[in-house]
Amino acid sequence: SLTDIEWSVGKTKITPVAHFKPVIIDGTEISKASLHNVSIFKKFKLGVGDKITVYKANCIIPQIKENFTQSNTCTIPSICPHCGSPTKIDCQNSSEELICTNVNCPAKLINHFKHFCSRNAINIEGLSEATLQKLIDANIISCFRDIFYLNNYYSTLIRFEGFGEKSVNKLLNSIDKSRNTTLSRFIYSLSIPLIGEMASKQIEKYCDCNLQKFIDHITKNKDKSFLNIQGFGTEMAQSINNYWNQHAATILEL
């Protein structure tokens, strides 16, 4: 039985998550399942109290299989559940996605930072979500570039709760180490819509592991150049070009 639909704000989109009465599948209790996007949300015509069946995709990921009731009473929020700004539905890769129109939405900001610092991206140890939030609240960081100047705030950092000289030095060393990275990690860290870890590795190979070649492909050939990469469609190529148009300064600063 469906109990609620939560709209979770991520780094690029707002994802519907179905909550239901707990069930046991393969020996574990589950009570929620991601619906991934607006298209899938609409497909199931969900409403609180609906009778649904669930399963584990690949024996791991909880998914809704069927909705027997289809009351279709759950609605798509018109405002962001985190910051209250208007939302809009955007079509990406043939699927409808709900996004917050506020570029400075705090939830999007913290998730962008979390992804940027994550192990498969720039890989900075010591920047947990809680620490990142403290840095944002203290107006120490507001963009990715600021992370690489945290050494200027040494005396402030050692006064943070749970921090000390040893932990701050460890963090700053991790930041220094992260400066030497690969093109694929760098591209992946930017959270370009439709460009995940595998696509970033394909771009790296296509650009001979060279950042300048990546930039040249964007600036000289616009969105057409990346269509030469196997598996890349027009929406993926256009997404890279759109990101550059909006965030060229960020890439060049980093």
Side-chain angles (χ1 to χ4, degrees):
S1 177
L2 188 74
T3 57
D4 190 24
I5 296 293
E6 172 196 4
W7 293 85
S8 177
V9 185
K11 61 184 187 296
T12 58
K13 63 181 181 178
I14 304 174
T15 303
V17 180
H19 289 252
F20 44 83
K21 290 184 178 179
V23 294
I24 304 296
I25 298 180
D26 297 332
T28 57
E29 182 179 276
I30 60 171
S31 59
K32 62 181 180 179
S34 174
L35 293 165
H36 304 295
N37 55 49
V38 170
S39 298
I40 294 176
F41 169 79
K42 288 180 176 179
K43 168 189 169 184
F44 285 112
K45 300 179 180 179
L46 296 162
V48 173
D50 282 356
K51 292 182 179 180
I52 60 174
T53 55
V54 296
Y55 70 103
K56 282 186 176 180
N58 298 319
C59 301
I60 299 173
I61 305 170
Q63 304 279 276
I64 290 181
K65 183 177 182 180
E66 193 172 358
N67 179 12
F68 295 107
T69 316
Q70 296 192 352
S71 64
N72 200 28
T73 55
C74 288
T75 58
I76 299 169
S78 59
I79 61 172
C80 173
H82 191 89
C83 72
S85 298
T87 62
K88 72 173 184 178
I89 295 177
D90 189 30
C91 189
Q92 294 184 2
N93 207 19
S94 303
S95 295
E96 289 183 310
E97 307 279 11
L98 187 68
I99 62 173
C100 173
T101 57
N102 179 11
V103 294
N104 296 313
C105 174
K108 290 200 295 186
L109 183 62
I110 191 68
N111 280 300
H112 272 294
F113 275 118
K114 280 171 58 182
H115 177 77
F116 182 80
C117 299
S118 64
R119 180 176 298 177
N120 292 336
I122 294 299
N123 189 23
I124 299 175
E125 295 181 21
L127 282 180
S128 65
E129 181 175 351
T131 300
L132 285 167
Q133 192 63 63
K134 289 178 183 178
L135 294 171
I136 293 171
D137 292 343
N139 294 318
I140 293 176
I141 61 172
S142 60
C143 62
F144 297 148
R145 176 184 179 275
D146 293 339
I147 291 173
F148 297 96
Y149 290 89
L150 284 179
N151 58 307
N152 293 333
Y153 297 90
Y154 187 90
S155 58
T156 302
L157 294 175
I158 60 174
R159 291 197 298 269
F160 275 8
E161 184 179 352
F163 263 54
E165 190 173 332
K166 184 177 179 180
S167 55
V168 172
N169 286 335
K170 185 177 180 180
L171 170 60
L172 295 179
N173 287 335
S174 182
I175 291 172
D176 279 337
K177 185 178 179 181
S178 75
R179 297 176 193 273
N180 182 24
T181 191
T182 63
L183 179 60
S184 63
R185 281 177 173 270
F186 176 67
I187 294 171
Y188 179 59
S189 75
L190 298 174
S191 299
I192 303 172
L194 305 181
I195 306 300
E197 189 174 2
M198 184 58 67
S200 297
K201 291 179 179 179
Q202 289 177 287
I203 295 171
E204 177 183 64
K205 184 177 180 181
Y206 181 66
C207 297
D208 299 323
C209 306
N210 187 288
L211 176 61
Q212 189 57 53
K213 285 189 178 182
F214 172 64
I215 293 173
D216 288 344
H217 277 301
I218 300 174
T219 54
K220 294 178 181 178
N221 302 312
K222 302 298 181 183
D223 55 308
K224 296 180 180 179
S225 175
F226 297 103
L227 292 174
N228 295 323
I229 300 176
Q230 185 177 2
F232 270 53
T234 53
E235 290 183 344
M236 293 176 71
Q238 184 64 52
S239 181
I240 298 171
N241 189 52
N242 289 343
Y243 188 93
W244 172 264
N245 289 339
Q246 296 171 22
H247 306 287
T250 296
I251 295 176
L252 295 174
E253 282 176 349
L254 290 171

